[in-house]
C-alpha cells in the first residue's frame, strides 16, 4: 500500500506488523517524500539472505548498504520498528538486532510511505 500524507518527524517511530508471504523473494518498505525521492528503502531479500537498504534521489538510486542479519523467514508474522532520527534511520528487527541507515537527504519530515512485495500489513502505528 501507499500513503502520501504521512506526517513523520525526526524522533518518531513507525511500528509495522504483518505477514510475509510463503512464496516471496522479498518485500520493500519505502519512506521519503515520493516514490522517486526515498530517504529509506528497506528491502529484505530471501533469495540472497540479505537486507538491502538504499536511498533514491530524483529517481536515481544511491549506494546500497547490505546487512546479512536476516532473522525472519517466509510465512512468518513479524513486527518492524523504524525509528526516524535527525541523522539516521534505525530499523529494529524482530530479534532485537538493529539495522542503521543514514538520513542522506537530511529530511526532517517524511510524507510518503509504501509497502510492496510479499508482505501483508496487518497494522501500523506512528
Amino acid at each position: 500500500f501507499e500513503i502520501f500524507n504521512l506526517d513523520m518527524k525526526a524522533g518518531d517511530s513507525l511500528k509495522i506488523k504483518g505477514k510475509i508471504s510463503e512464496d516471496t523473494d522479498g518485500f520493500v518498505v519505502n519512506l521519503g517524500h515520493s516514490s522517486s525521492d526515498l530517504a529509506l528503502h528497506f528491502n529484505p531479500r530471501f533469495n540472497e539472505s540479505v537486507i538491502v537498504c538504499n536511498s533514491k534521489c530524483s529517481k536515481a538510486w544511491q549506494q546500497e548498504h547490505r546487512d546479512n542479519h536476516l532473522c525472519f523467514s517466509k510465512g512468518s508474522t513479524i513486527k518492524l520498528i523504524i525509528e526516524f532520527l535527525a541523522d539516521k534511520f534505525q530499523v529494529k528487527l524482530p530479534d532485537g538486532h538493529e539495522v542503521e541507515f543514514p538520513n542522506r537527504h537530511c529530511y526532517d519530515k517524511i510524507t510518503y510511505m509504501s509497502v510492496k512485495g510479499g508482505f501483508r500489513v496487518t497494522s501500523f502505528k506512528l
Side-chain angles (χ1 to χ4, degrees):
F1 68 73
E2 282 185 301
I3 297 173
F4 296 94
N5 59 349
L6 192 70
D7 187 20
M8 188 174 183
K9 299 176 199 67
D12 286 350
S13 289
L14 183 67
K15 295 181 176 85
I16 304 171
K17 285 184 190 163
K19 184 168 170 56
I20 301 167
S21 305
E22 296 280 357
D23 57 354
T24 187
D25 285 336
F27 64 91
V28 175
V29 177
N30 289 318
L31 294 173
H33 284 181
S34 69
S35 60
S36 51
D37 285 290
L38 298 174
L40 175 68
H41 169 81
F42 178 80
N43 177 209
R45 297 179 185 171
F46 297 107
N47 54 347
E48 297 177 51
S49 294
V50 69
I51 295 172
V52 175
C53 292
N54 205 342
S55 52
K56 195 193 263 191
C57 191
S58 303
K59 297 184 182 167
W61 287 108
Q62 297 176 305
Q63 191 176 348
E64 278 187 355
H65 165 81
R66 291 175 160 255
D67 190 308
N68 294 323
H69 191 91
L70 192 59
C71 65
F72 39 83
S73 55
K74 296 179 187 188
S76 60
T77 299
I78 62 164
K79 178 170 89 170
L80 299 170
I81 301 171
I82 302 172
E83 207 176 340
F84 174 35
L85 304 167
D87 60 335
K88 66 186 172 190
F89 293 87
Q90 277 180 259
V91 184
K92 189 172 281 191
L93 304 181
D95 69 348
H97 179 79
E98 287 187 358
V99 176
E100 286 193 1
F101 187 73
N103 181 3
R104 293 174 174 164
H105 302 323
C106 300
Y107 286 163
D108 57 1
K109 192 173 170 184
I110 299 291
T111 53
Y112 174 81
M113 171 187 166
S114 69
V115 179
K116 296 180 157 77
F119 185 72
R120 198 179 76 244
V121 175
T122 52
S123 74
F124 81 97
K125 188 170 105 183
L126 184 58

